[in-house]
Amino acid sequence: MPRPILAAISVAALSHNLNTVGQLLEQDVSIGIQRPSIWAVIKADAYGHGIDRALSGFALADGLAMLDLNEAVHCREAGWSGPLLLLEGFFEPEDIRVLDQYRISIVIHTNEQLDMLENSQVVHAVDACIKLNTGMNRLGFQQTEYSTAFARAQDLQNDGVLGLVGKMTHFACADDDPLATEAQLEVFNRVTDGLPGRVSVCNSAATLTPGFAAQVAPHAEQWVRPGICLYGASPFADRSAAQMGLRPAMTLRSELISVRTIAAGEQVGYGYRYTATRAMKIGVVACGYADGYPRHAPNGTPIVVDGVRTQLIGRVSMDMLAVDLTPVPAAHVGSPVILWGIDGPSVDEVAQACGTIGYELLCAVAPRVPRLSS
Ligand SMILES: *Cc1c(COP(=O)(O)O)cnc(C)c1O
């Protein structure tokens, strides 16, 4: 029998979350303004949930956005016929042939990419978004370069190399700083003003900020790019996914593989990080950092055993971690454990206890953990 750990992935939750985001966007649509279209972001193997499950869960998305060319090809070959967008664009001239063949759209963020396109021929024009750096200083053309880059893209469009040419940027602080986000949007609007084409600026946090998407581009076609919220985790530190009607798509669960009672003063795990202050029952769970559970999780990180919320004690080892069974005295070898997800702590609660974000925990679930669709 394999180790009892597994990640149960709910395809129904993926669909539900996509639908919830769609309804939210619908609410802000006023007469004469279209609801933004949704690129469901499925990078990093769909935030650890698996591309194929994402293809089922997001079957009704308007498009799918990702990073890896091979993943995009995989989506096509699996039967996805809608738009596919590569968020970092492409890297080598040879990639252009694949974009052409599989009708994959790209973000263009450097002059090197324009150079490569100018030296290539395609059968089908490639759709593109020209990315502006509005402050994050990660990808995108500088404000001073943008109109030149956009004009080059329009020339490529006239030559039939590019098809649709749109405008995009990415927000650095949409989760916690509305003023910084407004400032980025203002730069975007100023620099792209008068240039034609569709607009894409919103990640999950901006998409979920009431009224924000509606004010972005009331007169242009808009595409939003939510990622984390579609998996049922929150981009915000102060608004839970559940409060926004989102459902966890991943439940990481395991079982107790050992139970013992220790006396006051006894210690637990590597480095003896935990010392019992009284006699207590503890359990060992088949889940460690080699499964993707964070090694730096502190004593007190929430865990559910046999339906009862308790806490991690001691340092997380490679393959195991220990829990306090005081509130679950009947727990035994084989009792179910939920690390995060449905009926457990949310991935965001665990992340917060560990000083990180749900994104990192979801993406870090190791390949050795079997995924089970539910
Ligand atoms: C990852 C990513 C997104 C989605 O971000 P979330 O915070 O997960 O919604 C959107 N746009 C770009 C360019 C990204 O890299």
Side-chain angles (χ1 to χ4, degrees), residues 39 41 43 47 65 67 87-88 107 131 138-139 168-171 200-207 224-231 235 359:
W39 296 107
V41 177
K43 62 193 179 185
Y47 291 51
L67 298 181
L87 293 167
E88 293 177 352
V107 170
K131 188 165 188 178
R138 196 173 65 173
L139 296 184
M168 84 176 268
T169 193
H170 192 57
F171 294 131
S200 180
V201 299
C202 292
N203 56 5
S204 293
T207 304
V224 295
R225 308 187 304 271
I228 193 70
C229 62
L230 301 180
Y231 303 94
Y359 298 73

Side-chain angles (χ1 to χ4, degrees), residues 29 41 47 52 78 98 108 165 194 231 237 255 276-277 295 331 350-351 373:
V29 167
V41 177
Y47 291 51
D52 291 311
V98 186
I108 297 177
V165 172
Y231 303 94
E255 290 178 5
T277 54
R295 180 174 174 279
V350 176
S373 302

